[in-house]
PDB file of all heavy atoms in Angstrom:
ATOM      1  N   LEU A 186     105.421  92.950 128.342  1.00  0.00           N
ATOM      2  CA  LEU A 186     104.589  93.697 127.396  1.00  0.00           C
ATOM      3  C   LEU A 186     103.106  93.477 127.669  1.00  0.00           C
ATOM      4  O   LEU A 186     102.282  94.362 127.427  1.00  0.00           O
ATOM      5  CB  LEU A 186     104.918  93.276 125.957  1.00  0.00           C
ATOM      6  CG  LEU A 186     106.320  93.656 125.463  1.00  0.00           C
ATOM      7  CD1 LEU A 186     106.565  93.076 124.075  1.00  0.00           C
ATOM      8  CD2 LEU A 186     106.512  95.170 125.450  1.00  0.00           C
ATOM      9  N   ALA A 187     102.767  92.307 128.214  1.00  0.00           N
ATOM     10  CA  ALA A 187     101.355  91.989 128.452  1.00  0.00           C
ATOM     11  C   ALA A 187     100.819  92.669 129.702  1.00  0.00           C
ATOM     12  O   ALA A 187      99.691  93.187 129.706  1.00  0.00           O
ATOM     13  CB  ALA A 187     101.169  90.476 128.567  1.00  0.00           C
ATOM     14  N   LYS A 188     101.634  92.700 130.776  1.00  0.00           N
ATOM     15  CA  LYS A 188     101.087  93.190 132.047  1.00  0.00           C
ATOM     16  C   LYS A 188     102.011  94.093 132.850  1.00  0.00           C
ATOM     17  O   LYS A 188     101.673  94.481 133.967  1.00  0.00           O
ATOM     18  CB  LYS A 188     100.663  91.996 132.914  1.00  0.00           C
ATOM     19  CG  LYS A 188      99.488  91.221 132.335  1.00  0.00           C
ATOM     20  CD  LYS A 188      99.008  90.144 133.293  1.00  0.00           C
ATOM     21  CE  LYS A 188      97.791  89.409 132.716  1.00  0.00           C
ATOM     22  NZ  LYS A 188      97.317  88.341 133.622  1.00  0.00           N
ATOM     23  N   GLY A 189     103.170  94.419 132.301  1.00  0.00           N
ATOM     24  CA  GLY A 189     104.021  95.376 132.980  1.00  0.00           C
ATOM     25  C   GLY A 189     105.039  94.759 133.919  1.00  0.00           C
ATOM     26  O   GLY A 189     105.171  93.536 134.033  1.00  0.00           O
ATOM     27  N   LYS A 190     105.756  95.629 134.632  1.00  0.00           N
ATOM     28  CA  LYS A 190     106.887  95.214 135.470  1.00  0.00           C
ATOM     29  C   LYS A 190     106.490  94.230 136.559  1.00  0.00           C
ATOM     30  O   LYS A 190     107.224  93.266 136.849  1.00  0.00           O
ATOM     31  CB  LYS A 190     107.519  96.458 136.098  1.00  0.00           C
ATOM     32  CG  LYS A 190     108.621  96.148 137.118  1.00  0.00           C
ATOM     33  CD  LYS A 190     109.158  97.413 137.734  1.00  0.00           C
ATOM     34  CE  LYS A 190     110.081  97.106 138.910  1.00  0.00           C
ATOM     35  NZ  LYS A 190     109.377  96.472 140.045  1.00  0.00           N
ATOM     36  N   GLU A 191     105.345  94.451 137.149  1.00  0.00           N
ATOM     37  CA  GLU A 191     104.958  93.554 138.249  1.00  0.00           C
ATOM     38  C   GLU A 191     104.794  92.104 137.798  1.00  0.00           C
ATOM     39  O   GLU A 191     104.829  91.185 138.620  1.00  0.00           O
ATOM     40  CB  GLU A 191     103.664  94.044 138.907  1.00  0.00           C
ATOM     41  CG  GLU A 191     102.461  94.130 137.978  1.00  0.00           C
ATOM     42  CD  GLU A 191     102.411  95.432 137.198  1.00  0.00           C
ATOM     43  OE1 GLU A 191     103.378  96.220 137.294  1.00  0.00           O
ATOM     44  OE2 GLU A 191     101.416  95.664 136.505  1.00  0.00           O
ATOM     45  N   ASN A 192     104.654  91.905 136.505  1.00  0.00           N
ATOM     46  CA  ASN A 192     104.491  90.556 135.974  1.00  0.00           C
ATOM     47  C   ASN A 192     105.820  89.848 135.748  1.00  0.00           C
ATOM     48  O   ASN A 192     105.845  88.676 135.385  1.00  0.00           O
ATOM     49  CB  ASN A 192     103.703  90.619 134.658  1.00  0.00           C
ATOM     50  CG  ASN A 192     103.020  89.317 134.310  1.00  0.00           C
ATOM     51  OD1 ASN A 192     102.557  88.596 135.191  1.00  0.00           O
ATOM     52  ND2 ASN A 192     102.971  88.995 133.021  1.00  0.00           N
ATOM     53  N   VAL A 193     106.942  90.558 135.937  1.00  0.00           N
ATOM     54  CA  VAL A 193     108.246  89.913 135.734  1.00  0.00           C
ATOM     55  C   VAL A 193     109.131  90.011 136.985  1.00  0.00           C
ATOM     56  O   VAL A 193     110.268  89.535 136.973  1.00  0.00           O
ATOM     57  CB  VAL A 193     108.995  90.548 134.534  1.00  0.00           C
ATOM     58  CG1 VAL A 193     108.252  90.279 133.243  1.00  0.00           C
ATOM     59  CG2 VAL A 193     109.218  92.041 134.738  1.00  0.00           C
ATOM     60  N   ASP A 194     108.617  90.622 138.042  1.00  0.00           N
ATOM     61  CA  ASP A 194     109.428  90.765 139.259  1.00  0.00           C
ATOM     62  C   ASP A 194     109.811  89.426 139.873  1.00  0.00           C
ATOM     63  O   ASP A 194     110.847  89.317 140.544  1.00  0.00           O
ATOM     64  CB  ASP A 194     108.676  91.608 140.300  1.00  0.00           C
ATOM     65  CG  ASP A 194     108.746  93.095 139.993  1.00  0.00           C
ATOM     66  OD1 ASP A 194     109.681  93.503 139.282  1.00  0.00           O
ATOM     67  OD2 ASP A 194     107.858  93.845 140.444  1.00  0.00           O
ATOM     68  N   ASP A 195     108.995  88.402 139.634  1.00  0.00           N
ATOM     69  CA  ASP A 195     109.262  87.098 140.263  1.00  0.00           C
ATOM     70  C   ASP A 195     110.044  86.145 139.368  1.00  0.00           C
ATOM     71  O   ASP A 195     110.266  84.984 139.716  1.00  0.00           O
ATOM     72  CB  ASP A 195     107.937  86.438 140.669  1.00  0.00           C
ATOM     73  CG  ASP A 195     107.020  86.185 139.470  1.00  0.00           C
ATOM     74  OD1 ASP A 195     107.279  86.771 138.393  1.00  0.00           O
ATOM     75  OD2 ASP A 195     106.053  85.410 139.613  1.00  0.00           O
ATOM     76  N   ILE A 196     110.471  86.601 138.188  1.00  0.00           N
ATOM     77  CA  ILE A 196     111.199  85.729 137.262  1.00  0.00           C
ATOM     78  C   ILE A 196     112.651  85.593 137.708  1.00  0.00           C
ATOM     79  O   ILE A 196     113.293  86.565 138.137  1.00  0.00           O
ATOM     80  CB  ILE A 196     111.117  86.284 135.815  1.00  0.00           C
ATOM     81  CG1 ILE A 196     109.695  86.099 135.272  1.00  0.00           C
ATOM     82  CG2 ILE A 196     112.112  85.604 134.896  1.00  0.00           C
ATOM     83  CD1 ILE A 196     109.506  86.556 133.839  1.00  0.00           C
ATOM     84  N   ASP A 197     113.182  84.389 137.589  1.00  0.00           N
ATOM     85  CA  ASP A 197     114.579  84.111 137.937  1.00  0.00           C
ATOM     86  C   ASP A 197     115.505  84.870 136.982  1.00  0.00           C
ATOM     87  O   ASP A 197     115.441  84.690 135.764  1.00  0.00           O
ATOM     88  CB  ASP A 197     114.828  82.601 137.828  1.00  0.00           C
ATOM     89  CG  ASP A 197     116.251  82.221 138.196  1.00  0.00           C
ATOM     90  OD1 ASP A 197     117.003  83.099 138.652  1.00  0.00           O
ATOM     91  OD2 ASP A 197     116.616  81.038 138.023  1.00  0.00           O
ATOM     92  N   THR A 198     116.367  85.736 137.519  1.00  0.00           N
ATOM     93  CA  THR A 198     117.256  86.547 136.685  1.00  0.00           C
ATOM     94  C   THR A 198     118.700  86.038 136.708  1.00  0.00           C
ATOM     95  O   THR A 198     119.639  86.775 136.399  1.00  0.00           O
ATOM     96  CB  THR A 198     117.230  88.009 137.153  1.00  0.00           C
ATOM     97  OG1 THR A 198     117.593  88.072 138.535  1.00  0.00           O
ATOM     98  CG2 THR A 198     115.859  88.629 136.947  1.00  0.00           C
TER      99      THR A 198
END
Side-chain angles (χ1 to χ4, degrees):
L186 293 175
K188 293 186 178 179
K190 174 182 170 295
E191 59 276 6
N192 203 35
V193 295
D194 282 337
D195 61 345
I196 289 182
D197 181 7
T198 57

